[in-house]
Amino acid sequence: MDPNDAPLASGLYLVATPIGNLGDITLRALDVLRRCDRIACEDTRQTQKLLNHFEIQTPTVSCHQHNERQRATELLDALKAGARIALVSDAGMPGISDPGAWLAAAAIAAQVHVIPIPGPNAALSALIASGFPTAEFHFLGFLPEKAGARRTRLEELAAEAQRSASPRTLIFYEAPHRILGTLADLESVWGPDLRVVLARELTKIHEEFLRTSVAEVRRALALRDRIRGEITLLVEAPPKASAQPGAAQAHQPAEKVSVRIARMQSDLRIDEKEALKRLARELGQSKSDLYRELQRQRARR
Ligand code: SAM
């Protein structure tokens, strides 16, 4: 008998959904979403688009970062009474840099059956097409948003990588408006030759992989008018024996803003205002802070 002909068993179904391409939904995900009693969603409006596309009429309820714990009580009561509940995030696997892990743990503690329905995930999709070692990798989700905390975290990771005998593949999720700042920090911690893979818009029309050094990726992105789309970033963190020469410069003072602005103006044939805008984006700083720094440097001459 086809397992899909059997009645859907009671339990919490953690259902992966597409990260861009609707064709990536699995047959099993569709079956569970159709036959469960309720779908708990990170954002009901987002999931409704998916359900409309596949003509699924199952009722939805919200379950997001801010109400996961309150909602859990209600969902667990229903699950203990024999309900079949699917949990989805906006895209990809619930629980992976998305709500879901807490509810799964609470359900397990309440002796509710928890069933994974595998499918798309940005980190693993980027990893398998990166060309980096896949036997061991370290998924870190999003780095801290604040520049200081992010830099500290990267320094900790560099120290950990130096204790291992072989290169380590690190995987990060990053927002487009923070990517230049993160690349600048990676370059200052590990040096310009650090090998990275930037995977953008996976499974979508404009899917793109940049597989080169961190300095090259940063330069390529900085030249764009706007950086759009969803980004997964992989880093091949070198072990001690192959520490990069650039890394030694990590704690030397950064090149002067005035020098960088002048070089950008001459390399890219742009005016000072445009150069300031691009450099601010590249460094993850505000234009006004950078302008003040430029004025300070000029006054010191
Ligand atoms: N749960 C999701 C998963 O399983 O991949 C991840 C959710 S997390 C809130 C969203 C982040 O994942 C994005 O900011 C981006 O860093 C990464 N991401 C999601 N979709 C992506 C895509 N199509 N291409 C590249 N990265 C993606």
Side-chain angles (χ1 to χ4, degrees):
M1 185 168 93
D2 183 333
N4 292 344
D5 291 341
L8 193 65
S10 145
L12 176 66
Y13 292 81
L14 306 171
V15 182
T17 57
I19 56 169
N21 189 325
L22 291 183
D24 291 336
I25 190 97
T26 68
L27 295 175
R28 199 159 161 241
L30 288 176
D31 182 61
V32 167
L33 294 176
R34 260 194 198 106
R35 295 200 295 150
C36 65
D37 301 308
R38 227 182 312 171
I39 305 173
C41 317
E42 182 181 6
D43 178 345
T44 49
R45 284 164 309 176
Q46 187 66 25
T47 300
Q48 198 56 55
K49 292 184 213 157
L50 179 81
L51 301 181
N52 291 345
H53 181 87
F54 289 107
E55 299 178 353
I56 295 173
Q57 274 141 22
T58 311
T60 58
V61 58
S62 76
C63 182
H64 45 71
Q65 190 187 346
H66 305 293
N67 75 353
E68 189 179 6
R69 291 174 193 218
Q70 288 147 259
R71 186 65 84 196
T73 319
E74 184 194 321
L75 293 175
L76 288 174
D77 286 346
L79 286 163
K80 283 191 262 181
R84 293 88 45 94
I85 294 178
L87 176 73
V88 297
S89 64
D90 286 353
M93 291 205 165
I96 303 298
S97 294
D98 265 342
W102 195 88
L103 182 59
I108 292 162
Q111 303 198 325
V112 165
H113 193 189
V114 174
I115 309 112
I117 306 293
N121 166 256
L124 291 181
S125 305
L127 174 68
I128 58 171
S130 66
F132 284 170
T134 57
E136 274 188 48
F137 56 89
H138 189 174
F139 171 69
L140 293 131
F142 290 95
L143 281 163
E145 285 181 24
K146 295 223 163 93
R150 180 176 67 202
R151 175 69 188 244
T152 305
R153 183 73 185 111
L154 289 177
E155 281 165 356
E156 284 165 8
L157 291 168
E160 278 170 30
Q162 287 226 336
R163 287 196 287 274
S164 76
S166 49
R168 279 194 153 194
T169 302
L170 311 181
I171 310 176
F172 303 98
Y173 287 155
E174 193 48 285
H177 64 281
R178 281 197 293 267
I179 189 68
L180 287 173
T182 295
L183 291 169
D185 281 350
L186 285 169
E187 190 174 332
S188 94
V189 171
W190 267 290
D193 299 330
L194 177 74
R195 293 201 334 135
V196 302
V197 173
L198 184 135
R200 201 177 64 83
E201 294 289 82
L202 288 167
T203 79
K204 304 185 200 176
I205 298 172
H206 298 293
E207 178 174 282
E208 177 183 39
F209 280 90
L210 298 176
R211 303 178 178 94
T212 178
S213 70
V214 66
E216 281 297 319
V217 171
R218 193 157 73 92
R219 244 193 305 276
L221 292 187
L223 290 175
R224 296 184 185 178
D225 287 338
R226 226 180 116 190
I227 303 168
R228 297 165 199 263
E230 300 197 88
I231 295 171
T232 298
L233 183 67
L234 293 95
V235 168
E236 194 184 54
K240 187 168 194 148
S242 63
Q244 299 181 6
Q249 296 157 11
H251 298 290
Q252 287 180 11
E255 190 176 31
K256 276 186 164 178
V257 169
S258 54
V259 174
R260 295 185 70 169
I261 294 283
R263 199 175 49 237
M264 278 178 113
Q265 283 186 255
S266 102
D267 286 356
L268 305 173
R269 295 169 198 274
I270 51 178
D271 62 17
E272 183 180 288
K273 197 166 155 213
E274 181 61 24
L276 261 171
K277 191 171 108 190
R278 293 189 188 200
L279 187 60
R281 251 191 10 203
E282 198 176 317
L283 298 175
Q285 285 183 14
S286 77
K287 260 189 313 189
S288 49
D289 284 352
L290 210 58
Y291 183 69
R292 270 194 292 276
E293 177 58 24
L294 182 63
Q295 295 307 325
R296 265 197 298 274
Q297 290 179 3
R298 285 184 176 154
R300 271 188 240 127
R301 271 188 201 158

